[in-house]
Amino acid sequence: MKFYDILQMDPAQIRAMIAKTENAKEKRKLRAGMYARSFLIVVFAVLFIGIFTALFGSGNSAMAVSIFCILLAVRFVDYGYRIQDALVNMFIVFAILTFVPSLALPLPWPARWLIYFASLLVMLIMTAEKPHMGNGGLYTFAFIFLAGNPVYGQVLMQRAQMAFLGFLICACVYWHNHRSKDKKITFANVLKRFDLYTYKTQWQLRLALGISVLLCIFTVFHLERYMWAGFAAGSLLSDADVESNIHEKFSNRLLGVILGSALFYMIYRIVPARYYFLIGPVGGMCLGLCSKYTYKTVLNCFGALALAASMYGIGNAVLLRIFDTLAGIFGALLFFYLYDRFILHKFLPNRSYVSKKEK
């Protein structure tokens, strides 16, 4: 296997290969590839987000992060239908992410909920034809992140310019990597498969409805940094195997945030202030080596708390991170059971069988 091929692999795949091989030289090569991959992603992230932020303003760093995540994903994950339809829909998705989170926030909560729900559902139908490929979580994350960082006026126009440039880059990468896939499947075919009696459709509806409802609740009650609660809820509800994984993810998310916040607090107290800027990138490098959800959650706290500590103070930032996570995961779990009780069982009484069939 070429070293370049190792760089394209997920840490879980690399670790599985390391466990299987008995060749010491091959193990060293695989480990070196995993470390190099993590380092290169962090360097690319710093450069990409830094350049985009410098060009379009620090108020749009959330959009820069979202575009970066989408760019990493479109290299490997397609939308499940022909290229021409996919690129048109990608443009629509970028437009939704640019304008909807900011423009809907000042509206009365019923209108805000309806716009959030419709926007999320449209994005999921367009991008998550294959739920297990992760696009549901990716685009939901981007929507929540941008909803938590609204901009207006000139800054919104700069965000639109950034989004258009990001779309062009992502579209080029998508075209290069996926132009030959699913040539006979149109987006119209996808729409025809939208059926309340299929598991995929119910998964899309539950995710869109759950996130839109919870975001509205968080904003109505003025939850500080409510996007953190949204991230926690989204991580549970976006799982393609949510029925079997939600309780484990609930526990792992809670444990990961508590451990990550405590670890960050200790590091922040020990490390000299002049080195605080390194905490985020080092955490990002370690994140690139992780394959387990709990460890990823631990390290995800570093970047978030590094910024929040300068705004709220380290103690308040840690408490806020834990509180928001509790709000998000308990809200998602409650919504999951309510949806299951009052909606899902009416359409899919044999949902476990349907889920396996659609995989």
Side-chain angles (χ1 to χ4, degrees), residues 134 166 264 326:
F264 180 87
L326 287 171

Side-chain angles (χ1 to χ4, degrees), residues 182-255:
D182 302 311
K183 289 184 176 182
K184 295 183 179 180
I185 303 176
T186 68
F187 184 59
N189 298 141
V190 173
L191 291 177
K192 290 177 182 178
R193 291 200 290 263
F194 188 82
D195 183 349
L196 293 176
Y197 294 91
T198 62
Y199 183 82
K200 182 194 69 179
T201 297
Q202 284 297 325
W203 172 82
Q204 292 171 333
L205 284 168
R206 178 173 51 203
L207 179 54
L209 183 60
I211 295 303
S212 61
V213 167
L214 291 173
L215 274 182
C216 279
I217 292 174
F218 299 151
T219 54
V220 165
F221 286 94
H222 304 288
L223 182 66
E224 194 72 24
R225 293 194 78 76
Y226 57 86
M227 63 182 182
W228 285 352
F231 294 156
S235 70
L236 269 61
L237 295 177
S238 65
D239 194 308
D241 295 312
V242 61
E243 278 83 8
S244 57
N245 291 342
I246 191 167
H247 294 99
E248 181 181 2
K249 272 204 164 184
F250 178 97
S251 301
N252 290 342
R253 185 83 184 191
L254 179 59
L255 177 61

Side-chain angles (χ1 to χ4, degrees), residues 37-115:
R37 173 189 177 276
S38 179
F39 175 77
L40 291 173
I41 288 177
V42 170
V43 171
F44 180 48
V46 171
L47 291 175
F48 185 93
I49 296 169
I51 291 172
F52 267 57
T53 302
L55 289 174
F56 301 101
S58 59
N60 284 315
S61 60
M63 176 58 85
V65 173
S66 300
I67 295 171
F68 172 76
C69 294
I70 293 172
L71 177 60
L72 292 185
V74 296
R75 295 175 60 223
F76 303 105
V77 183
D78 62 278
Y79 290 174
Y81 46 90
R82 64 182 186 178
I83 185 70
Q84 54 267 48
D85 293 353
L87 294 182
V88 170
N89 285 351
M90 182 186 289
F91 179 84
I92 295 173
V93 167
F94 268 77
I96 290 173
L97 291 174
T98 301
F99 295 108
V100 170
S102 293
L103 298 181
L105 186 59
L107 299 177
W109 74 261
R112 187 190 317 145
W113 166 76
L114 184 60
I115 294 172

Side-chain angles (χ1 to χ4, degrees), residues 286-302:
C286 295
L287 180 64
L289 304 176
C290 292
S291 57
K292 293 187 177 180
Y293 180 73
T294 303
Y295 299 148
K296 290 180 179 180
T297 304
V298 168
L299 293 167
N300 270 326
C301 291
F302 282 43

Side-chain angles (χ1 to χ4, degrees), residues 6-7 50 88 94 110 120 129 140 163 261 302 305 341:
I6 300 174
L7 297 178
V88 170
F94 268 77
L120 285 164
E129 175 67 4
T140 300
S261 299
F302 282 43
L305 288 173
R341 173 66 179 83

Side-chain angles (χ1 to χ4, degrees), residues 71 74-76 167-178:
L71 177 60
V74 296
R75 295 175 60 223
F76 303 105
F167 161 73
L168 292 178
I169 295 172
C170 291
C172 288
V173 172
Y174 189 102
W175 179 85
H176 181 269
N177 289 4
H178 306 296

